[in-house]
Amino acid sequence: MNTRQLAEQFREDGFCRIEGLFGAAELADLDAKTRDVIARAQGIPGETEIFDVEDSHTPDDPRIRRIKRPHEVDPLYWSYACFPKLLEAVQAILGPDIRLHHSKINLKSARFGSPLEWHQDWAFIPHTNMDLAIGAVMLDEVDEGNGPMLVIPGSHRTGLIDHHDEDGWFAGAIDPDRIDTAAAVPLLGPPGTVTLHHPLLVHGSALNTSTRERRLLFYEYAAADAWPLIYGVQWPEYTGRLVAGSPNPRIRMEPVEVKMPHPVRKAGSIYNNQSALKRRFFETLNAQA
Ligand SMILES: O=C(O)CCC(=O)C(=O)O
């Protein structure tokens, strides 16, 4: 792994990709744990503290689209957020002191895994500076057919694009007419591949109509001196999420563009925010039925 090249590609294209970062043993661990966590969703009536569910979810036929904050659900996910090879790549991009801002597993199940409309993560997670890198660990093979993340190379240099609709509501998505969707490329790879993307990189993903699941474990990293603006961070929580470096109350302010993700028609995850969209780019399961 040439971390200097990775950091350069991240700066240039807004993302980089590292094949084989996680090996067979780590993947087996993560696979078993993730299946074990999902098994706990049997019988749940709807969304919970841990699970975000598809619209077609029922208690007898659980359809989970996301495991929320897995690093709080099981220590295994926290330990892999601190995986040395992963941190080495993140530190090459963000510097030595790193904090895990957030984590999630987007499951994108075979046949019905939800699409996500085009967006920039920065619109959801403004900080005092923009030194953030969003890591995605492929827990399954990701191919053209099972809903890969689609990214628009270089789009991180366009600045923040509006994620509010014409009535002023935060829609959690960009009007597709405002971006060059034809320039998008899929992030593909065998299990264990990791991608890191810039918080302003425009990306989205389609409905999974294939017979293959596509689980992505996201670790959102921030430089330790980037303070989240979107929620009231408590110091113990802040220090408890450091994955490299030591606590330092000195925060770096930079002239970043911020538009708060408020007000929302439907609160909750990006799936909820986007459910109120009048116009969609990606087909949904409902549209197929
Ligand atoms: O799971 C995906 O395909 C995209 C994930 C994403 O962009 C998000 O959760 O914000």
Side-chain angles (χ1 to χ4, degrees), residues 3-118:
T3 51
R4 192 136 53 94
Q5 252 173 27
L6 288 177
E8 240 172 69
Q9 201 204 340
F10 183 93
R11 266 192 303 277
E12 191 55 30
D13 297 335
F15 66 97
C16 58
R17 180 181 166 285
I18 313 137
E19 202 166 306
L21 194 146
F22 281 88
E26 293 89 45
L27 284 167
D29 261 6
L30 285 165
D31 180 64
K33 182 59 68 187
T34 304
R35 294 197 187 284
D36 182 50
V37 172
I38 291 168
R40 296 185 219 161
Q42 192 66 37
I44 60 165
E47 186 172 346
T48 68
E49 278 290 298
I50 299 180
F51 300 113
D52 194 329
V53 300
E54 301 277 357
D55 294 343
S56 54
H57 168 90
T58 65
D60 299 334
D61 179 17
R63 293 188 165 194
I64 308 305
R65 63 186 168 197
R66 173 179 284 178
I67 299 173
K68 305 179 201 175
R69 296 182 295 281
H71 69 280
E72 290 175 5
V73 173
D74 193 284
L76 184 82
Y77 295 110
W78 169 260
S79 68
Y80 282 126
C82 308
F83 193 58
K85 269 165 78 178
L86 176 55
L87 284 188
E88 204 189 316
V90 174
Q91 286 175 309
I93 294 167
L94 299 180
D97 301 334
I98 309 288
R99 174 175 171 270
L100 181 73
H101 168 67
H102 188 52
S103 73
K104 62 197 176 194
I105 305 177
N106 286 355
L107 295 165
K108 199 136 355 221
S109 303
R111 297 190 184 85
F112 57 79
S114 277
L116 274 167
E117 290 293 320
W118 299 106

Side-chain angles (χ1 to χ4, degrees), residues 108-161:
K108 199 136 355 221
S109 303
R111 297 190 184 85
F112 57 79
S114 277
L116 274 167
E117 290 293 320
W118 299 106
H119 64 280
Q120 297 166 303
D121 292 333
W122 184 255
F124 298 80
I125 52 170
H127 283 62
T128 55
N129 66 65
M130 215 178 271
D131 279 336
L132 273 69
I134 295 90
V137 184
M138 299 182 191
L139 300 183
D140 302 298
E141 164 109 30
V142 180
D143 57 44
E144 295 267 3
N146 64 353
M149 207 155 65
L150 303 170
V151 302
I152 303 183
S155 54
H156 63 305
R157 285 191 247 108
T158 54
L160 179 64
I161 307 171

Side-chain angles (χ1 to χ4, degrees), residues 123-124 163-165 168-172 230 260-270 272-274 276:
F124 298 80
H163 287 62
H164 286 70
D165 66 19
W169 296 92
F170 180 69
I230 190 60
M260 284 294 176
H262 295 300
V264 282
R265 277 211 167 91
K266 197 150 180 222
S269 69
I270 181 172
N272 296 341
N273 300 154
Q274 293 188 349

